[in-house]
Amino acid sequence: MLSFRAVPEGSSWPTGRPSPLSGSYLIQWVAIGAQSAALADAESRCDSSADQSMEELARESISLLASTSAKPPLDVGPRLSSMGAVFIMLKSALGAGLLNFPWAFARAGGVRSAVTVELISLVFLISGLIILGYSSSISRQHTYQAVVKELCGTAIGQLCEICFIFNLFMISVAFLVVVNDQLEKLCNTVYELVTALPKSEMPYHFYTDHRFALVLLCFFLIMPMSIPKEINIQKYTSVLGTLAATYLTVSIIIKYFTMPTVPDHRSPFYSSGTGVWESMFSVIPTICFGFQCHEASIAIYSSMENQRLSHWAFICAVAMIICLIIYSLTGVYGYLTFGKTVAPDILMSYSSHDKLMLVARLLFGVSIITIYPIIVLLGRSVIQDPLLSRWRRRGEALMVKFECRSRWVLTVLWIMTTLLIAVFVPDISKVISVIGGISAFFIFIFPGLCLVFAMQSEPVSCKTRITLTIWGAVTLICGAFIFGQSTTVAVMELLGKI
């Protein structure tokens, strides 16, 4: 029995002619169909040594078609443009870690060592983002923890949820530490301007304490912004966060060229008992925390209009290179300005009367305040979603009431706990050293696991499977080493302060 095939690409029937199934055209149709069938049979017998680019294209097409047929398409709301994706990734990465980079450059032993660690880390950072985008496309999930659970299993997915909550919690602490430091400078500046007296003569009252101002800020500004179920302010703050980071970098460069004296940078920051390599490894947590935008990467990828993997790789490369430029300029000129005496928070090294840096404090503080509610929303949703799934079985009315109460309770507990920790933390470097170790899970460990597990089921050639599995294993081992080393050092330093 004859089976008709479509005309091959590039073949077309002459226009203005009779029907192609009439007369001699029927013979031509059958001949072309037979030729196509022969070509298809010949192609099916080809071995796996075909051209690598064609093999890669076929692999992506087969994977995407298989996942699409298995699950319905995602409904993630309005689509995100390429420029919007870049700005949101920049806002996610350019946070409190920017203030810590000059101190990290000093601790690494100088500019050359720190930039070397940055460039090596950048390869894994971009690779992790691409792997997460690929994992989202084949799993058809649009959150980080859902992708890990779908590809790696329930046990690893639950570990991811625990790390996700803890990491977001510590990021919230770091944000409040930054705001607390800036409030201290601002309170001192306001007192000196109003009374014309030095801050050393300022009498102590609880209402003049910057920590009291932080409490008021949390309860009257941050909490009302964090309570709502949906926070749409993110699309307005992405440009603000990038603007604040860029202004801070430009201000630091201007201060370097306008300050009268420059400290000596020839002596290294590390002590005599610490080598160069140990000092370089010690700044990896700061770099991981600074460039970290991997938790939001899957949500960004799922919302993009163009979800081709090559386009996603381009978006990741552009965002990370911009981050590299901003972080490197801030680290280099901040370190060259103050040398070994640079504070863990670079803004604390400048005078409270400096108008240029005063604007930088205000901009950066506003940016942090607007990002904090989004962190609360992400962390709260990981805790709340499993609880809501159980209450949904009891009825819609009970579920809605429980959702409202649990949202209030979780938000208040989150803000109060992070506030208490932030008030008693001495400086931001202690928080970032802990966050950097946890960040290794999201930058190295979980993407490596996703790639290894994906290669066990995806229809790829043997050579591609082995290559990507090895790269996933290398990423996983590097992440485990960074987590163990940085977490051990951070815990030892914290215990030494007690």
Side-chain angles (χ1 to χ4, degrees), residues 55-326:
E55 177 187 354
E56 193 71 19
L57 180 60
R59 178 182 65 81
E60 294 177 8
S61 301
I62 293 172
S63 302
L64 186 58
L65 287 174
S67 59
T68 304
S69 61
K71 296 184 178 182
L74 296 173
D75 182 15
V76 293
R79 289 295 173 179
L80 192 64
S81 64
S82 301
M83 187 66 68
V86 171
F87 270 110
I88 292 178
M89 290 186 70
L90 288 175
K91 189 199 72 171
S92 302
L94 295 173
L98 183 64
L99 304 176
N100 200 233
F101 258 68
W103 176 85
F105 270 58
R107 183 163 183 168
V111 174
R112 182 180 301 177
S113 302
V115 172
T116 301
V117 177
E118 274 189 302
L119 293 176
I120 296 174
S121 302
L122 193 66
V123 176
F124 291 94
L125 291 164
I126 297 177
S127 171
L129 290 170
I130 297 174
I131 292 172
L132 292 172
Y134 172 71
S135 301
S136 177
S137 68
I138 63 177
S139 65
R140 306 300 296 167
Q141 301 294 328
H142 62 279
T143 61
Y144 196 110
Q145 61 271 19
V147 168
V148 174
K149 182 177 292 186
E150 180 73 18
L151 292 179
C152 305
T154 305
I156 299 179
Q158 292 175 349
L159 174 63
C160 178
E161 291 177 349
I162 295 173
C163 294
F164 201 87
I165 295 172
F166 182 77
N167 190 55
L168 292 176
F169 181 83
M170 296 305 296
I171 290 175
S172 302
V173 174
F175 283 175
L176 292 185
V177 170
V178 171
V179 175
N180 187 44
D181 291 342
Q182 308 318 315
L183 283 175
E184 181 180 6
K185 283 281 188 178
L186 290 174
C187 289
N188 293 335
T189 302
V190 171
Y191 176 79
E192 292 174 355
L193 290 177
V194 172
T195 63
L197 297 174
K199 62 180 181 180
S200 58
E201 298 183 9
M202 182 173 62
Y204 177 78
H205 302 286
F206 75 92
Y207 52 84
T208 60
D209 196 330
H210 62 277
R211 290 171 292 188
F212 179 72
L214 180 63
V215 172
L216 295 179
L217 189 66
C218 286
F219 279 94
F220 291 101
L221 184 59
I222 294 179
M223 187 173 293
M225 295 171 60
S226 305
I227 288 293
K229 184 177 180 180
E230 301 291 340
I231 300 179
N232 297 322
I233 198 173
Q234 181 173 1
K235 59 185 178 182
Y236 302 110
T237 60
S238 59
V239 179
L240 176 62
T242 306
L243 175 63
T246 305
Y247 181 87
L248 176 63
T249 301
V250 174
S251 301
I252 291 174
I253 296 174
I254 293 175
K255 296 302 296 183
Y256 168 74
F257 287 104
T258 56
M259 289 186 71
T261 58
V262 178
D264 183 19
H265 309 91
R266 290 175 293 181
S267 56
F269 182 87
Y270 46 83
S271 61
S272 58
T274 307
V276 178
W277 289 104
E278 289 83 357
S279 298
M280 292 175 65
F281 277 119
S282 67
V283 302
I284 291 181
T286 302
I287 294 175
C288 289
F289 175 69
F291 284 88
Q292 185 182 7
C293 58
H294 293 62
E295 293 94 337
S297 61
I298 293 179
I300 296 171
Y301 171 79
S302 302
S303 302
M304 288 177 59
E305 294 176 350
N306 186 353
Q307 294 187 2
R308 285 183 299 137
L309 199 61
S310 58
H311 182 71
W312 171 244
F314 173 75
I315 295 296
C316 296
V318 170
M320 289 296 99
I321 289 174
I322 294 175
C323 286
L324 176 68
I325 294 173
I326 294 177

Side-chain angles (χ1 to χ4, degrees), residues 343-405:
D345 181 347
I346 181 63
L347 289 174
M348 302 300 290
S349 297
Y350 294 97
S351 170
S352 57
H353 298 284
D354 196 316
K355 296 180 180 179
L356 187 67
M357 305 313 295
L358 180 62
V359 176
R361 286 191 183 93
L362 291 174
L363 273 178
F364 214 84
V366 172
S367 176
I368 293 298
I369 290 172
T370 55
I371 296 174
Y372 184 94
I374 301 172
I375 302 298
V376 176
L377 175 66
L378 293 174
R380 185 181 64 203
S381 64
V382 179
I383 304 173
Q384 197 177 23
D385 288 346
L387 300 176
L388 292 178
S389 62
R390 298 178 182 178
W391 278 82
R392 191 173 287 109
R393 304 169 187 172
R394 304 184 181 183
E396 189 69 22
L398 291 176
M399 193 272 292
V400 172
K401 185 180 297 185
F402 175 78
E403 188 278 331
C404 182
R405 292 178 179 177

Side-chain angles (χ1 to χ4, degrees), residues 31-49:
I32 292 175
Q35 183 180 6
S36 300
L39 289 174
D41 293 336
E43 290 172 357
S44 64
R45 291 191 298 267
C46 290
D47 55 11
S48 60
S49 60

